Amino acid sequence: MPRQDPPQQPPPVQRLRVRYAKRGRLRFTSHRDFSRAFERAVFRARIPMAYSSGFNPHPRISYAGASPTGAASEAEYLELALAEVLVPAEVHELLDASLPPGLDVLAVVESPGGSLSDRLQASRWRIEVDVPRPDAQRAVEAFLAAPEVTVERMTKRGLRSFDARGAVSSLAVVDAAEGAQTTVELVLRHGEPAVRADDILSGMTRLGGLDPAGPALLTRLDQGPYDEATGEVGDPFAS
């Protein structure tokens, strides 16, 4: 018998973009774990998803610019393809109620078209590290003064070395909240290779001789279009 082609799914009738946060202990959720949790939340919320074609259809969810495991974030993004037109505010409420605390939906908007990933050109980070402020300041100055900062990171293809300095738009010690650790803010341009906030911390530690009393807390605050003139990270949902 001739092999039958898999059924073709109808195209989506609406696309929604979602901004969500990873907070507290949920920052240790891997991207794979989050994607599974999110698909379960979509199912529990009974959101009418569009599905891919093929022998193993799956809900059409596109993830963009996921933060590394262990980093908290206020600016994670994904896009949903739907089989029915829904009100974004209702989807926001349904998703937030279906996800565990710490994985929190912050905004849902209708997609204007185009690539969401292409709008995520840079990230703004907060690094909280348990060292005296003068030590952090010296490490920041040493990092910024270096023409190149080579760091190493273990990847799926083994240990990789690359320059982290070129991706840094700004790096500065800032005033911390009362009782908080020394705080550094960082703006990273996205590119290849993808430089992460922990790479910058590694470079600062090596150049500045930092000796933190405990692990640093990395939090992505914003992610979006990059303004070359101002060095600021914009809102990817803005028109």
Side-chain angles (χ1 to χ4, degrees), residues 49-83:
M49 296 295 300
Y51 280 76
S52 63
S53 297
F55 289 106
N56 296 297
H58 58 271
R60 298 181 66 167
I61 305 172
S62 301
Y63 301 93
S67 62
T69 304
S73 179
E74 297 293 314
E76 301 297 287
Y77 291 93
L78 58 81
E79 187 168 278
L80 304 175
L82 304 185

Side-chain angles (χ1 to χ4, degrees), residues 21-30 34 37 69-72 100-103:
K22 290 199 309 180
R23 297 167 171 160
R25 295 178 62 184
L26 271 296
R27 70 183 187 274
F28 297 107
T29 303
S30 70
F34 171 77
T69 304
L103 295 177

